[in-house]
Amino acid sequence: MDSPHGAAVKAEDFGLKGPRGWAFRGVGIDAAPGSLIAVEGPSGTGRTCLLLALTGRMKPTAGHAEVGGHRLPKHMTAVRRVAALGPVAGVTDLDQALTVAEQLREGALLHRHYDGPVRALLRSPAERRADARARIEAALDTAGLDLTTLPKGPRTSVRDLERLESVRLSVAIALLGSPRLLALDDLDLKLSDTERTEAWALLRSIAAAGTTVLAVCSEAPDDAVVVRTGPQEPAAPDAGADPAADAAPAAEADTENDAENDTENETEETKGADDALAEAGRA
């Protein structure tokens, strides 16, 4: 499938604060078009909120970002036009009652407006159907989903798909709109080591073809542009420094208080991510 020029993704001190705290904050990104970007962190640290903010689906409250030349949060609509969502739980869930063929046809109908209303009016129904078939076949090929290998072929129920097959189907539907940025949530969720390797290989191939890919995961591959969420590791002390000499006299007494503060901050960020994600699901 021909892929458009990918979207550069940049962010500086990017953050989103919800009613009960920060979903994420202080995020910095500088990724070229066609990059593979991995958002790495534990569940509940604002990974999904960051994905939705960078694709124009959630309004940030701190800093700024730029996707494909469109600045956030000012041009969220423009970013939504160039960014497509693959699997994102609660936002782009596949319809378990449909067959794979029905889900693909529904996706093609939703993306038909990318042809432009004037051109669509000039085409006959047969031409539109042929175009939809061509788009679907190209998207399936790029996503690596061979319908003939499914238990009932195209008539296989979506609910009967394996996890990796479901990911591939969601990716294929997202690619129907020829996005410049493809975003996926929880890429490595419920995948075996072999399946995880296959999933990353798929995303690398899409990025290599020109489309920028943004994937949320628990563990990022070495070749990705990595963005981490959640508590960060403290900076290493300067070489030759004597930690004992620089320690405050009350350091031992404050250790317990510091631990309690860290726990409170982590809880606040987790609650903030939950609140922001709940709001995004209704948007």
Side-chain angles (χ1 to χ4, degrees):
M1 179 177 182
D2 291 335
S3 185
H5 189 59
V9 179
K10 301 180 180 180
E12 183 177 344
D13 200 25
F14 202 47
L16 188 154
K17 190 172 187 179
R20 291 190 291 175
W22 289 94
F24 63 86
R25 57 179 165 178
V27 172
I29 308 173
D30 189 0
S35 294
L36 174 60
I37 308 168
V39 178
E40 179 187 80
S43 178
T45 58
R47 303 177 309 173
T48 303
C49 295
L50 176 57
L51 177 149
L52 293 173
L54 287 172
T55 55
R57 272 80 175 178
M58 184 178 285
K59 189 174 182 178
T61 54
H64 64 271
E66 191 175 284
V67 177
H70 304 297
R71 194 175 178 88
L72 293 169
K74 186 175 183 180
H75 298 134
M76 293 176 64
T77 300
V79 170
R80 287 197 295 271
R81 292 195 185 103
V82 302
L85 298 180
V88 179
V91 181
T92 59
D93 297 307
L94 298 173
D95 191 333
Q96 303 298 303
L98 298 180
T99 66
V100 172
E102 291 169 340
Q103 187 78 77
L104 286 164
R105 284 196 295 270
E106 182 179 274
L109 287 172
L110 291 174
H111 287 292
R112 181 181 291 177
H113 69 277
Y114 281 91
D115 287 335
V118 176
R119 289 179 59 188
L121 288 173
L122 295 176
R123 289 181 174 183
S124 68
E127 289 175 322
R128 291 198 293 270
R129 287 193 296 270
D131 179 73
R133 284 195 298 270
R135 279 178 176 270
I136 289 172
E137 289 174 4
L140 287 172
D141 183 63
T142 301
L145 182 59
D146 184 354
L147 300 188
T148 63
T149 64
L150 300 179
K152 296 181 181 179
R155 304 170 93 177
T156 301
S157 175
V158 169
R159 70 168 63 91
D160 293 331
L161 295 177
E162 299 292 338
R163 163 66 180 167
L164 184 55
E165 292 170 340
S166 179
V167 169
R168 292 185 186 277
L169 177 57
S170 293
V171 167
I173 292 171
L175 292 175
L176 291 172
S178 300
R180 297 177 61 194
L181 171 66
L182 170 67
L184 309 87
D185 194 21
D186 282 327
L187 176 68
D188 46 13
L189 179 67
K190 297 181 180 179
L191 293 181
S192 66
D193 291 343
T194 300
E195 291 171 331
R196 190 177 297 114
T197 299
E198 290 183 38
W200 283 116
L202 165 63
L203 300 191
R204 286 190 191 94
S205 68
I206 294 173
T211 301
T212 304
V213 178
L214 173 69
V216 167
C217 61
S218 58
E219 185 176 353
D222 294 335
D223 58 344
V225 177
V226 181
V227 181
R228 292 183 172 85
T229 60
Q232 302 298 313
E233 294 182 1
D238 294 336
D242 183 359
D246 294 334
E252 294 183 4
D254 289 342
T255 300
E256 185 175 344
N257 291 334
D258 290 342
E260 290 178 356
N261 290 337
D262 289 342
T263 302
E264 289 176 1
N265 290 336
E266 186 173 345
T267 301
E268 179 182 281
E269 293 192 1
T270 301
K271 290 180 178 178
D274 292 342
D275 288 342
L277 185 55
E279 293 179 8
R282 295 191 292 269

